């Protein structure tokens, strides 16, 4: 009976040791992981239609609005998401201050664009009596907010991993 209880207590310790080892090996890749997941959330939920199924999200949502800027917001969010994916990979390799500043500034621009995208729906609902926000527009809003939350988490982790003594080496 004693040996079984010792085995039970050793399992969590092995897991904790594994987690610590994984973290020490991959800690500089954590911003890239969160950015990758956020980019996937931003870009994978585009509208599509198959034989018997129609998924409505961003495109169907912006087609109901009279605002012409919202298409620019969506396009800009997608472009910055792609740039940030590669930028986070570069940051995980160098961890330079310049990479972090670029990463941070693009995330600030992304946050402003997501805010503008989301508020456009509520402004339209407040200005037009014939428009109510449909369910797929709420889905689009939720997708944008959740992607941005992951980008904020990635930025926080990136702030912890800056190499303050980074010196560029000529190759």
């Amino acid at each position: 009976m004693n040996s079984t209880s010792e085995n039970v207590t050793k399992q969590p310790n092995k897991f904790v040791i594994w987690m610590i080892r994984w973290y020490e090996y991959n800690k500089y890749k954590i911003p890239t992981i969160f950015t990758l997941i956020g980019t996937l959330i931003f870009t994978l939920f585009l509208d599509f239609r198959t034989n018997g199924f129609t998924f409505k999200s961003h495109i169907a949502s912006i087609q109901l609005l009279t605002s012409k800027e919202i298409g620019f917001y969506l396009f800009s969010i997608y472009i910055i998401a792609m740039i940030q994916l590669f930028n986070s990979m570069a940051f995980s390799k160098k961890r330079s201050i310049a990479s972090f500043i670029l990463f941070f500034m693009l995330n600030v621009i992304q946050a402003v664009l997501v805010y503008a995208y989301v508020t456009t729906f509520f402004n339209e609902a407040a200005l037009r009596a014939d428009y109510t926000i449909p369910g797929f527009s709420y889905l689009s809003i939720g997708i944008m907010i959740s992607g941005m939350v992951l980008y904020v988490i990635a930025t926080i982790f990136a702030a912890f991993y800056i190499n303050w003594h980074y010196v560029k080496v000529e190759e």
Side-chain angles (χ1 to χ4, degrees), residues 141-161:
I141 291 168
I143 288 168
M144 290 297 172
I145 291 172
S146 60
M148 195 61 232
V149 165
L150 288 168
Y151 272 36
V152 168
I153 293 170
T155 306
I156 291 169
F157 274 106
F160 288 124
Y161 302 132

Side-chain angles (χ1 to χ4, degrees), residues 37-47 55-59 61 74 77-78 110 114 117-118 135-151:
I37 296 169
T39 300
L40 289 174
I41 287 175
F42 277 134
T43 58
L44 285 182
F45 293 102
L46 200 57
D47 300 15
F55 181 77
K56 293 181 179 180
S57 179
H58 305 309
I59 304 298
S61 297
L74 183 64
I77 289 168
Y78 274 34
Q110 184 86 321
V114 168
Y117 180 85
V118 169
F136 55 86
S137 293
Y138 281 116
L139 176 67
S140 176
I141 291 168
I143 288 168
M144 290 297 172
I145 291 172
S146 60
M148 195 61 232
V149 165
L150 288 168
Y151 272 36

Side-chain angles (χ1 to χ4, degrees), residues 17-158:
I17 290 169
W18 179 84
M19 287 298 294
I20 291 169
R21 188 174 184 197
W22 179 89
Y23 174 77
E24 288 299 320
Y25 182 73
N26 292 312
K27 65 183 173 183
Y28 301 123
K29 297 177 186 171
I30 291 174
T32 303
I33 293 168
F34 278 109
T35 304
L36 174 66
I37 296 169
T39 300
L40 289 174
I41 287 175
F42 277 134
T43 58
L44 285 182
F45 293 102
L46 200 57
D47 300 15
F48 64 89
R49 181 180 20 216
T50 61
N51 289 338
F53 182 72
T54 302
F55 181 77
K56 293 181 179 180
S57 179
H58 305 309
I59 304 298
S61 297
I62 67 173
Q63 287 178 344
L64 299 175
L65 300 177
T66 58
S67 171
K68 293 177 177 54
E69 293 87 20
I70 196 156
F72 171 75
Y73 298 151
L74 183 64
F75 175 75
S76 299
I77 289 168
Y78 274 34
I79 292 297
I80 291 176
M82 292 293 133
I83 292 169
Q84 282 296 76
L85 182 60
F86 295 109
N87 189 28
S88 69
M89 289 178 197
F91 175 78
S92 71
K93 298 258 188 233
K94 298 180 196 174
R95 299 184 329 267
S96 70
I97 298 168
S99 294
F100 174 73
I101 291 171
L102 179 63
F103 188 71
F104 178 77
M105 293 306 295
L106 284 174
N107 278 342
V108 168
I109 294 169
Q110 184 86 321
V112 169
L113 289 168
V114 168
Y115 177 78
Y117 180 85
V118 169
T119 56
T120 302
F121 289 102
F122 295 108
N123 290 340
E124 191 89 14
L127 294 175
R128 287 178 41 200
D130 63 333
Y131 176 75
T132 57
I133 302 174
F136 55 86
S137 293
Y138 281 116
L139 176 67
S140 176
I141 291 168
I143 288 168
M144 290 297 172
I145 291 172
S146 60
M148 195 61 232
V149 165
L150 288 168
Y151 272 36
V152 168
I153 293 170
T155 306
I156 291 169
F157 274 106

